[in-house]
Amino acid sequence: MIEVREHERPSTVSEAVAVQQRLRPLVRFDGQPAEVRTAAGLDVAYDESSDELVAAVAVLDVPALSVVDSTVVRGRAEFPYVPGLFAFREAPPLLAALQQLSVVPDVLVCDGQGLAHPRRFGLACHLGVLTDLPAIGVGKTPMGRFDPPGEPRGAWTSIEMDGEEVGRALRTQEHVKPVFVSVGHRYALDAACDLVLGLAPKYRLPETTRAADQLGRRAG
């Protein structure tokens, strides 16, 4: 079972920012698993008419890209919609879902940001630190400045914030919009991009994200 580090549940923006600033120094940037056999996709779907949500986790066998374990948790958002603080809405149900897995994944692939965040502590950092599992963020939309990468699959450019590289815009399919990869915890950026390319042989988004999204939609 995945063990989770506990922290106080903030009720205000200032309290949430303080939690991010306290946990941020715990992020590790070194290395990655010697072998990635399983990767977990994490996604949260919202009911547009209420604060209800569905958190879905799908664990894939990496060579086969087939689902070997999955969990779904239904709940309600416990924190308001505030840019830069999405983790306080999404982390609690995602952590609950992770704790229900029978397979401990080698890496978490989050539908969101890691270091590409105003306080360098996006959802992938948050979940990585609280579980101490390797984690990366693969966002659909950018956070930071970047130049468009070349058109071939595998082309990339740096994403920068305040003059610092915080991630990469990565072209997973030729002539298709890039995804935005950033380190979450216990992973190097080069290796994170290699993993994302391996998880996205046919489509723009990695199969981990696609599987978690489909799982959440079926459960919603």
Side-chain angles (χ1 to χ4, degrees), residues 13-213:
V13 168
S14 60
E15 289 175 354
V17 170
V19 170
Q20 288 181 329
Q21 291 174 334
R22 181 169 59 81
L23 295 178
R24 181 177 57 189
L26 302 179
V27 174
R28 288 170 49 192
F29 311 106
D30 55 316
Q32 62 271 349
E35 182 182 8
V36 178
R37 296 157 297 180
T38 55
L42 299 89
D43 188 60
V44 176
Y46 294 91
D47 185 325
E48 295 181 359
S49 62
S50 71
D51 59 356
E52 295 181 353
L53 53 78
V54 174
V57 177
V59 181
L60 272 61
D61 174 277
V62 170
L65 296 182
S66 58
V67 177
V68 296
D69 196 8
S70 63
T71 58
V72 170
V73 168
R74 294 176 176 82
R76 291 182 178 274
E78 300 179 0
F79 197 83
Y81 184 90
V82 180
L85 298 176
F86 294 152
F88 294 97
R89 293 170 64 86
E90 301 195 350
L94 286 172
L95 290 169
L98 284 168
Q99 289 184 295
Q100 294 180 14
L101 292 173
S102 58
V103 174
V104 178
D106 293 319
V107 59
L108 308 180
V109 181
C110 302
D111 179 25
Q113 311 294 342
L115 292 180
H117 179 274
R119 286 172 292 281
R120 309 298 188 268
F121 200 74
L123 177 64
C125 297
H126 202 119
L127 292 174
V129 165
L130 294 187
T131 62
D132 200 32
L133 291 174
I136 64 174
V138 184
K140 302 183 187 75
T141 56
M143 186 172 286
R145 192 197 70 78
F146 71 100
D147 294 322
E151 292 298 334
R153 169 177 158 83
W156 61 267
T157 56
S158 293
I159 302 171
E160 295 186 356
M161 299 181 76
D162 304 319
E164 174 187 3
E165 183 183 51
V166 294
R168 289 179 184 166
L170 176 67
R171 192 87 64 185
T172 54
Q173 300 298 323
E174 189 173 5
H175 303 304
V176 172
K177 289 198 314 184
V179 296
F180 304 95
V181 181
S182 57
V183 172
H185 184 58
R186 295 177 57 194
Y187 229 95
L189 186 54
D190 284 342
C193 290
D194 289 343
L195 176 63
V196 172
L197 284 174
L199 293 173
K202 296 180 180 180
Y203 303 102
R204 177 194 179 213
L205 296 178
E207 290 300 311
T208 41
T209 301
R210 286 167 46 81
D213 176 73

